[in-house]
């Protein structure tokens, strides 16, 4: 029997949650059982009451607001414990068209993907400003490079995740999960696919994107951090090559001038700067080597965590 659980992270969503839940399906082709779960991320309004009144099967609550990334991961954990074979994540503001959920889960049912990300028609969304549309496209392109995947709409929160993929995912960033999970999944060799989906009307401003500059800064920091985590040697090798190359070229320039002028001018400042730059580059390379060795321990810990998660889930299933 295949069980699908639709999870919705919520923070003060009483105004839109009822509308979102009303459109969620209870029957999907290829799925035997569909359940709903919300993660109440420290809401101070009637979010939980609205959810229960509309037939939500599971509620996970935080005493205080923990942020979208924590809510997403808590939802995955709760869905796995509830026996989900496939997890669909959507937003509480009814941004995504729930009728496209069958399209979202189809590649997983067919064994073609571990994670499926819904690609919004960005250019057709009227409330997105031209600069936001441009940045969405640029951000997705950067994530494709970092993750080595073909994800069209990286910031999209409308996605389906197989049980195996959910077991392997970890989110370190406290801001959002969207970019990090794609890069992480791509680095771990998971199959990721994009499918076109529709969006509904605009109901409220995004709580995640409070300002374009802030979102861009946070997104870039997330990409850099994940790159350092999963490819530390390459990251620091590239970073260290910049000052090392500058120092090397400056040193060559010093040597050329020294011999052309027969040592009449010492040009000590140039020589000192060249030495400093070369030393900085070398130190960054050493950081990369140490980080790469530490990454081996991280991989071992991830394998241990995966085995523990599987053992816990198998234990829960036997108890049932």
């Amino acid at each position: 029997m295949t069980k699908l659980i639709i999870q919705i992270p919520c923070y003060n969503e009483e105004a839109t949650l009822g509308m979102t839940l009303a459109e969620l399906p209870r029957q999907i082709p290829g799925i035997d059982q569909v359940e709903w779960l919300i993660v109440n991320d420290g809401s101070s309004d009637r979010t939980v009451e609205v959810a229960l009144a509309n037939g939500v099967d599971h509620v996970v609550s935080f005493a205080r607001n923990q942020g979208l990334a924590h809510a997403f991961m808590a939802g995955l954990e709760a869905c796995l414990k509830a026996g989900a074979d496939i997890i669909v994540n959507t937003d509480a503001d009814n941004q995504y068209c729930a009728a496209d959920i069958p399209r979202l889960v189809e590649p997983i049912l067919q064994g073609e993907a571990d994670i499926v990300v819904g690609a919004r028609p960005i250019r057709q969304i009227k409330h997105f400003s031209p600069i936001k549309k441009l940045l969405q496209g640029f951000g997705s392109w950067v994530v494709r490079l970092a993750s080595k995947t073909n994800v069209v709409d990286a910031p999209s929160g409308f996605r389906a995740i197989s049980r195996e993929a959910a077991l392997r995912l970890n989110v370190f960033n406290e801001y959002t999960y969207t970019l990090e999970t794609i890069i992480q999944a791509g680095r771990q060799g998971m199959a990721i696919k994009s499918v076109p989906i529709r969006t509904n009307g605009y109901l409220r401003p995004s709580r995640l994107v409070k300002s374009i500059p802030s979102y861009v800064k946070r997104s870039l920091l997330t990409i850099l951090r994940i790159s350092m985590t999963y490819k530390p040697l390459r990251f620091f090798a590239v970073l260290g090559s910049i000052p090392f190359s500058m120092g090397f070229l400056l040193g060559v320039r010093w040597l050329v001038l020294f011999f052309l002028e027969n040592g009449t001018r010492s040009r000590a400042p140039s020589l000192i700067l060249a030495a400093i730059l070369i030393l900085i580059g070398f130190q960054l390379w050493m950081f990369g080597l140490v980080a790469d060795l530490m990454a081996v321990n991280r991989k071992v810990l991830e394998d241990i965590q995966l085995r523990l998660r599987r053992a816990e889930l198998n234990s829960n299933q036997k108890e049932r």
Side-chain angles (χ1 to χ4, degrees):
M1 185 177 73
T2 303
K3 177 189 282 191
L4 181 147
I5 298 182
I6 303 172
Q7 73 167 35
I8 308 176
C10 298
Y11 178 60
N12 293 334
E13 303 286 3
E14 67 171 336
T16 58
L17 183 57
M19 185 184 305
T20 302
L21 293 171
E23 297 188 7
L24 293 184
R26 280 294 188 181
Q27 294 183 342
I28 296 175
I31 303 295
D32 299 300
Q33 187 176 356
V34 178
E35 296 179 355
W36 303 343
L37 177 147
I38 71 157
V39 182
N40 172 36
D41 190 15
S43 299
S44 58
D45 63 359
R46 298 180 58 255
T47 293
V48 174
E49 290 83 345
V50 171
L52 294 175
N54 284 272
V56 166
D57 303 283
H58 310 278
V59 176
V60 177
S61 289
F62 295 155
R64 295 176 300 278
N65 181 254
Q66 301 292 313
L68 181 60
H70 284 286
F72 173 79
M73 287 304 299
L76 288 189
E77 184 178 350
C79 288
L80 289 171
K81 289 181 178 179
D85 298 292
I86 301 175
I87 302 166
V88 169
N89 185 85
T90 189
D91 288 354
D93 61 358
N94 202 38
Q95 174 186 175
Y96 306 108
C97 182
D100 288 333
I101 290 179
R103 182 185 302 176
L104 204 64
V105 302
E106 183 64 22
I108 295 179
L109 291 173
Q110 297 297 326
E112 299 173 356
D114 300 303
I115 298 176
V116 183
V117 181
R120 297 166 292 179
I122 299 295
R123 295 182 179 179
Q124 301 174 20
I125 299 178
K126 296 180 180 180
H127 65 272
F128 278 14
S129 65
I131 184 65
K132 185 173 182 179
K133 293 178 182 179
L134 180 65
L135 289 173
Q136 290 273 15
F138 176 73
S140 295
W141 175 75
V142 173
V143 171
R144 284 195 293 273
L145 288 180
S147 63
K148 296 183 179 180
T149 65
N150 60 352
V151 174
V152 178
D153 184 10
S156 171
F158 194 43
R159 50 185 68 187
I161 305 167
S162 69
R163 176 177 176 173
E164 181 64 21
L167 283 168
R168 296 169 64 186
L169 287 178
N170 290 292
V171 175
F172 306 108
N173 188 277
E174 297 182 357
Y175 179 58
T176 182
Y177 62 89
T178 54
L179 308 183
E180 182 173 355
T181 49
I182 292 174
I183 297 173
Q184 184 180 130
R187 294 296 186 184
Q188 292 184 4
M190 299 185 203
I192 307 177
K193 186 173 182 178
S194 289
V195 298
I197 53 98
R198 295 164 291 177
T199 57
N200 297 318
Y202 178 72
L203 294 180
R204 63 164 174 77
S206 172
R207 292 173 179 165
L208 189 67
V209 186
K210 296 181 179 180
S211 70
I212 295 297
S214 174
Y215 181 74
V216 171
K217 182 183 72 173
R218 286 175 176 266
S219 298
L220 288 176
L221 288 175
T222 297
I223 293 170
L224 288 175
R225 184 177 182 184
I226 295 301
S227 298
M228 285 190 287
T229 301
Y230 286 91
K231 293 292 181 180
L233 185 58
R234 179 185 298 178
F235 179 85
F236 283 103
V238 173
L239 192 64
S241 296
I242 298 174
F244 185 89
S245 299
M246 294 172 61
F248 178 79
L249 292 174
L250 194 59
V252 171
R253 173 183 175 273
W254 182 89
L255 285 173
V256 171
L257 293 175
F258 179 82
F259 286 111
L260 287 177
E261 298 172 353
N262 295 319
T264 55
R265 295 180 60 184
S266 63
R267 299 181 184 273
S270 295
L271 184 60
I272 293 173
L273 179 59
I276 292 174
L277 289 172
I278 290 174
L279 182 60
I280 291 174
F282 184 76
Q283 286 180 328
L284 288 171
W285 289 345
M286 291 300 100
F287 289 156
L289 182 60
V290 173
D292 189 62
L293 294 174
M294 293 177 64
V296 175
N297 290 330
R298 177 186 55 77
K299 292 177 182 178
V300 172
L301 291 174
E302 285 182 347
D303 290 339
I304 294 174
Q305 182 188 55
L306 179 60
R307 292 180 183 181
L308 289 174
R309 284 177 173 176
R310 285 175 177 168
E312 183 180 358
L313 290 178
N314 289 335
S315 177
N316 291 337
Q317 288 180 349
K318 289 180 180 179
E319 291 177 357
R320 294 178 184 178

